[in-house]
Amino acid sequence: MSGTPRPKDRPWLMRTYAGHSTAEASNELYRRNLAKGQTGLSVAFDLPTQTGYDPDHILARGEVGRVGVPVSHLGDMRRLFQEIPLERMNTSMTINATAMWLLALYQVVAEEQGLDQSAIGKLQGTTQNDIVKEYLSRGTHVFPPGPSLRLTTDMIAYTVNHIPKWNPINICSYHLQEAGATPVQEIAFAMSTAIAVLDAVFASGQVPEDRKGDVVARISFFVNAGVRFIEEMCKMRAFGRIWDRVTRERYGIENPKHRRFRYGVQVNSLGLTEAQPENNVQRIVLEMLAVTLSKDARARAVQLPAWNEALGLPRPWDQQWSLRIQQVLALESDLLEYDDIFEGSHVIESKVAALVEATEAEIERIEKMGGAMAAVESGYLKAQLVASHSERRARIEAGEEKIIGVNCYESTEPNPLTADLDTAIMTVDPENEARVVSALHAWREQRDEGPAQEALTALRKAAAGTENLMPATLRCARAGVTTGEWSWALRDIFGEYRAPTGVGGAPLAVATEAGSLLSTVREKVEKTAVELGGGRLRLLVGKPGLDGHSNGAEQIAVRARDAGFEVVYQGIRLTPEQIVSAAVAEDVHCVGLSILSGSHAELVPDVLERLRDAGAPEIPVIVGGIIPATDAAALRAAGVAAVFTPKDFGITEIIGRIVDEIRAANTLPPLEVLV
């Protein structure tokens, strides 16, 4: 009988996305987590490592070891996995533009642990390696689409032939949802990416016809599970149904095991709230259930954020709490004893069918544009995400979409979890960066320089030709080449790429009729511009450093445009010097800085100092991001006019505050207070 309990299924892989400060500190954290029952590793790399910079590069300043572990060379990778036997580990590495480099370092460390070629072939794990979503949402891209697709293709071909149990790409719709994607867009954009990748791999001639099934079988996905439980669970069923059709009809894959939709999940981190953060635990549990309750659409690996990620960097105890949530469900409940409990539900089937129909129409639209890469370069995909995100933010601000503690039920008892905010999160030692940079310089001085330069020359030659780039990358890893050197060698051949921002094409998302909040702000903007001598108010939106989470900056830019500002937004990855130069050249009335990576303490004071040196100290600077209260106070003391954090969800109100700061900076009397 279908309702009778049976022997339990194996639990999914349980991971914690972790890494910080140094390889040594992260290694200690990994070993502690494994001892607590974590069954797979999920490595978070810092932004310099993700974007191909060494920690002594100007853009790396303030970013080293903050959102992940810095890995600059083979020595760092050795220390990262010290006393962790890689032949028994399933390791997920969240790495994209530099994925080939990190996989090469991982393989060489495994060789140094004593694994022969046969054992190397049994290594298990995943490299994310999805560059399309970096162009669209996360911002850690380096190279243009064509060369990036070549790196991905070469990696897939290499792993299928040499590390066949490795998942060389983890097509990632996770960040698409955070950037505003609807379920249809999330599935369609991810599937279109998969099609572009598979088409490129098969066209490369590096995989024999009879190995096509092996390639498809190693394609995995990484998805986001939001709080809309039914919709998210149906999304996963629709994902699997479409993947089965695409692989069977487009690529002729007959073996159903090869066509299986294999995915891991992290539940929605950016959906966690700074206000009443204890509610994030309920959100995390509900989101986890969406990808575990249904056996036929169950994730193969799950990693959960911590309850306090909207406040700052989680502590080991916070990560342990998230791991225990998974363990209670898998080991204490009877979930794994039953077949799919949603099978036969007409409600679920109707929702899945609707998602499939709409998604296939969007996939066809992208195909007619020339596929995912063409849709990236044209700006279509990014513009769609910015527009969807604008619409969602408008629903939240209007109260149509409820978020407990944010736009409803805001009253709360004192929270003992956050009574002392200084100890409710972990902080990275500000001296850590200097130590990492010093260690990098020592590594360069102690290595044999001849083989390192020869390996880089060979890499450039391979990149200028058509051969697979993995062997040359492995040679660089063994020769002691650094992350930045590997990336710059490829930049010399491939160039760099700045992805479309999507801001210019975003439609108006909120009402502007007389009496509306946006209409009131527009009046303030126009009146202030007149009082300052005519023309339009000009706002520069800048993202200093390497933080690629541009969703908030884009929404501020779009709403400021709709309120009548002339907006200067040049995208991500700018130095303080570039931001100040643009502010002076464009004669802006305000500079808005967006930073979510924790580098605000280093980069914001630099912008303030450079504005003073440029003779423009009167330009008000506002800052938004994940900024602890003590840091916010320090920034205001340093001269920042206003600090906004995730609890400030009303974008139109923020634009009104910007106008107020412009008026104050120019000694104009205040206008009416916005409510």
Side-chain angles (χ1 to χ4, degrees), residues 17-23 25-26 29-30 42-50 63-71 80 94 138 313 426 428 432 436 597:
Y17 183 53
H20 66 87
S21 302
T22 63
S26 298
L29 176 63
Y30 295 162
S42 182
V43 181
F45 296 100
D46 73 352
L47 289 173
T49 305
Q50 292 184 52
E63 307 282 14
V64 177
R66 289 206 172 270
V67 300
V69 56
V71 174
L80 187 63
T94 303
R138 184 59 188 85
L313 189 65
M426 190 173 79
V428 174
N432 178 70
V436 172
S597 65

Side-chain angles (χ1 to χ4, degrees), residues 184 187-189 191-193 195 242 245-246 250 355-372 375 380-381:
V184 167
I187 304 171
F189 294 3
M191 283 294 164
S192 295
T193 298
I195 289 168
I242 293 171
R245 181 191 62 77
V246 167
R250 188 180 184 101
L355 285 172
V356 168
E357 181 180 6
T359 299
E360 290 186 334
E362 181 64 18
I363 292 172
E364 184 178 354
R365 186 177 298 112
I366 294 169
E367 281 287 286
K368 289 179 179 177
M369 295 177 184
Y380 169 78
L381 296 184

